[in-house]
C-alpha cells in the first residue's frame, strides 16, 4: 500500500491535536487521582489554556520539524509506523525540553524527557493511524 500526498497532509493536520489532548488527559488524570471527582472542576479552564498555548506550538513544531522528517522518510521509502513513532518520540522530547528550558525555573531533564517522548509518541501514533501507514 502506498501512502499518498493527501493522506500525509491530512495526517499532518490532525496529528498535532494529540499534544493538547494528551496534556489535558494527563492533567485530568492527576486531578482525579489527587482530589477525586472534585478535582475536575477546573478542567475546562485548564483545557482552554492548554489548547490556546499548546496548539500553536504543536502546529509550529509539525511544520518546522515533523513535516521535513516525514517527507525525508517518504523519499527514502521508510514511512512506516516504527520510524514515524521513533522520530516523533525523539522530536517530542527535544521540543518539550527546549520549551521548558526557556522557562524561569526549568524542571530537571529526567522529568521532562520522558513526558516529551510520550507526547511525541501520541502524535506519531495519531499520524500513523490517520495516514494508514504500513507497520
Amino acid at each position: 500500500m502506498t501512502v499518498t500526498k493527501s493522506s500525509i497532509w491530512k495526517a499532518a493536520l490532525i496529528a498535532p491535536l494529540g499534544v493538547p489532548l494528551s496534556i489535558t488527559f494527563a492533567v485530568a488524570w492527576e486531578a482525579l487521582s489527587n482530589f477525586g471527582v472534585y478535582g475536575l472542576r477546573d478542567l475546562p479552564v485548564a483545557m482552554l489554556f492548554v489548547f490556546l498555548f499548546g496548539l500553536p506550538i504543536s502546529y509550529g513544531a509539525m511544520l518546522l520539524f515533523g513535516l521535513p522528517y516525514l517527507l525525508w522518510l517518504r523519499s527514502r521509502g521508510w514511512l512506516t509506523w516504527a520510524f514515524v513513532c521513533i522520530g516523533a518520540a525523539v522530536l517530542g522530547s527535544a521540543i518539550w525540553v527546549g520549551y521548558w528550558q526557556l522557562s524561569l525555573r526549568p524542571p530537571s531533564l529526567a522529568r521532562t524527557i520522558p513526558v516529551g517522548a510520550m507526547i511525541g509518541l501520541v502524535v506519531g501514533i495519531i499520524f500513523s493511524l490517520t495516514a494508514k501507514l504500513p507497520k
Side-chain angles (χ1 to χ4, degrees):
M1 180 177 147
T2 60
V3 181
T4 64
K5 278 185 181 180
S6 63
S7 67
I8 290 175
W9 289 106
K10 177 182 162 189
L13 287 174
I14 293 172
L17 292 170
V19 174
L21 286 174
S22 58
I23 293 170
T24 300
F25 178 76
V27 167
W29 182 263
E30 186 172 339
L32 194 60
S33 298
N34 291 332
F35 306 108
V37 177
Y38 183 72
L40 297 177
R41 75 183 188 286
D42 295 329
L43 187 62
V45 173
M47 190 172 169
L48 174 72
F49 280 109
V50 167
F51 271 82
L52 194 66
F53 292 103
L55 271 180
I57 293 169
S58 180
Y59 277 105
M62 175 60 88
L63 182 65
L64 293 175
F65 304 109
L67 271 176
Y69 174 68
L70 294 166
L71 294 174
W72 178 76
L73 285 178
R74 188 182 73 178
S75 73
R76 307 283 267 166
W78 297 344
L79 193 59
T80 63
W81 272 72
F83 287 117
V84 168
C85 289
I86 290 168
V90 170
L91 285 173
S93 292
I95 293 163
W96 189 256
V97 166
Y99 173 77
W100 280 109
Q101 292 304 310
L102 294 174
S103 66
L104 291 176
R105 292 187 202 111
S108 70
L109 291 177
R111 291 184 62 203
T112 55
I113 289 174
V115 174
M118 290 304 294
I119 291 171
L121 185 60
V122 168
V123 172
I125 289 170
I126 292 172
F127 181 89
S128 298
L129 286 170
T130 306
K132 297 179 176 100
L133 295 182
K135 303 218 186 227

